[in-house]
Amino acid sequence: MNLLVTGAARPTETQLDSLRAMGHTVWFLQNEHEALPLPTEEVEGVVANGLFLHHDITRFTALRYIQLTAAGLDRVPVDHVRAHNITLHNAAGVYSIPMAEFATAAVLCLYKQLTFFRTAQTAHRWDKHRGLRELFGKRVCIVGCGNVGTACAKRFAALGCTVCGVDLFERKDVAYSVMHPLADLHAALAAADIVVLTVPLTEDTRHLIGEKELALLQDEAVLVNIARGAVVDTAALASAVSVRPLYAVLDVFEEEPLSPDSPLWDNERVLITPHNSFVGEHNGERLWMLIQNNLSNYMQRKDTI
């Protein structure tokens, strides 16, 4: 198949050769906003991230296969994909390990006051802090119990936390002490010391955490958003953390980059990172194993039809 691979996959020449060895004609496009290296109507498969934010998917008349390099589906016109029977894969599981490690480490950073000690170290001051907290025994609520959420659940549980889940598809899972349907979100939020958002962004989850939900959080609670920025109402969050002793770890935002004028920057109870939680040195290995396995399975199914 004519397979278009973009720079989002960060392929090596060896990896591209492995796709050629599978029988594909491989075309490479470094930047997804640029002109395609072949006619749009000849593209049969793509390995990309935000390609269809820059190129109208309706012009890809031969398209039958999409492999995303991201876990979310919010950059793809899913209705069109389903209507045209296009096989769609995301990068489920590729980034779960670094994101779960990030969520755990970020909460520990707040609990153990590591920024306080770094500031003291920079000033060469021997300052003690008597307000350090323990993760052990804390109640953690994971909102969105897919690959990333479950990886988070396992790590918090290993540190002695009681972990509940909230998901669109309630089920039993040994990683969680209990799992609630989304209808029980408010009760789960009110009972939690730590809330970790890993839910996908859909019309149903946009501003899932707003003024009402933030008001339910206990004092000293920590909200971690490693999902999508629009899952949280930014204005409501900025207001809540300015007047209440709430903490937030924010890796994603409704508008990225976050405006320099945002009051979130200067709030000492907020830890901000630039959509960076997914980064890990083994992502490339996991991604390319997934790409090759999915393509191989697709071609095998195609050959049996």
Side-chain angles (χ1 to χ4, degrees):
M1 113 173 107
N2 277 330
L3 184 63
L4 176 65
V5 180
T6 77
R10 299 189 177 185
T12 65
E13 195 58 37
T14 298
Q15 289 166 337
L16 293 177
D17 284 341
S18 71
L19 300 182
R20 296 183 182 105
M22 295 171 66
H24 304 294
T25 301
V26 178
W27 303 79
F28 181 67
L29 176 68
Q30 179 61 53
N31 299 309
E32 294 182 338
H33 64 274
E34 295 178 348
L36 304 188
L38 76 165
T40 307
E41 61 273 14
E42 294 181 12
V43 177
E44 298 170 286
V46 302
V47 178
N49 181 12
L51 182 70
F52 302 115
L53 298 177
H54 309 285
H55 301 274
D56 184 357
I57 197 171
T58 63
R59 298 182 58 196
F60 291 74
T61 53
L63 187 62
R64 293 294 175 266
Y65 185 89
I66 299 173
Q67 170 69 65
L68 299 176
T69 61
L73 301 179
D74 49 299
R75 296 177 178 178
V76 181
V78 175
D79 289 343
H80 176 92
V81 169
R82 290 172 178 164
H84 289 79
N85 199 30
I86 300 170
T87 297
L88 174 63
H89 292 290
N90 66 354
V94 170
Y95 310 108
S96 301
I97 291 173
M99 292 179 73
E101 290 180 353
F102 174 91
T104 311
V107 174
L108 280 169
C109 179
L110 292 175
Y111 270 28
K112 302 304 181 183
Q113 297 290 338
L114 297 187
T115 54
F116 170 88
F117 291 116
R118 168 55 72 180
T119 300
Q121 179 180 340
T122 301
H124 296 193
R125 294 197 313 265
W126 186 266
D127 288 349
K128 291 184 180 293
H129 196 298
R130 300 298 182 182
L132 307 191
R133 304 175 69 191
E134 299 178 6
L135 263 181
F136 184 83
K138 295 299 186 293
R139 294 164 297 182
V140 179
C141 175
I142 307 291
V143 184
C145 304
N147 289 298
V148 176
T150 299
C152 290
K154 292 176 179 178
R155 284 155 179 78
F156 280 107
L159 291 168
C161 298
T162 300
V163 183
C164 80
V166 176
D167 198 77
L168 292 167
F169 307 102
E170 183 186 6
R171 63 189 187 278
K172 289 186 177 181
D173 190 312
V174 295
Y176 304 89
S177 62
V178 63
M179 191 178 295
H180 303 284
L182 196 57
D184 293 345
L185 173 64
H186 285 186
L189 292 176
D193 299 298
I194 300 161
V195 177
V196 183
L197 304 176
T198 57
V199 69
L201 177 62
T202 67
E203 285 310 308
D204 291 331
T205 62
R206 186 176 298 276
H207 284 192
L208 182 67
I209 305 299
E211 183 178 356
K212 182 184 298 184
E213 289 72 27
L214 292 165
L216 293 170
L217 296 179
Q218 304 176 34
D219 286 351
E220 307 295 322
V222 181
L223 177 69
V224 180
N225 190 6
I226 53 174
R228 284 287 189 259
V231 171
V232 176
D233 182 333
T234 305
L237 176 61
S239 176
V241 296
S242 70
V243 298
R244 289 189 57 208
L246 297 176
Y247 292 81
V249 176
L250 305 174
D251 185 55
V252 289
F253 300 88
E254 290 191 79
E255 293 185 11
E256 296 181 358
L258 180 64
S259 169
D261 298 326
S262 171
L264 292 170
W265 287 109
D266 298 316
N267 192 309
E268 62 182 9
R269 294 190 301 277
V270 177
L271 177 59
I272 291 173
T273 53
H275 205 142
N276 210 85
S277 64
F278 69 95
V279 175
E281 72 268 32
H282 297 298
N283 284 347
E285 302 164 27
R286 288 187 290 266
L287 178 60
W288 274 91
M289 184 177 297
L290 182 74
I291 289 171
Q292 291 172 320
N293 287 343
N294 284 344
L295 271 171
S296 179
N297 291 336
Y298 172 77
M299 297 307 291
Q300 288 176 15
R301 289 196 302 272
K302 183 180 176 183
D303 290 342
T304 60
I305 296 176

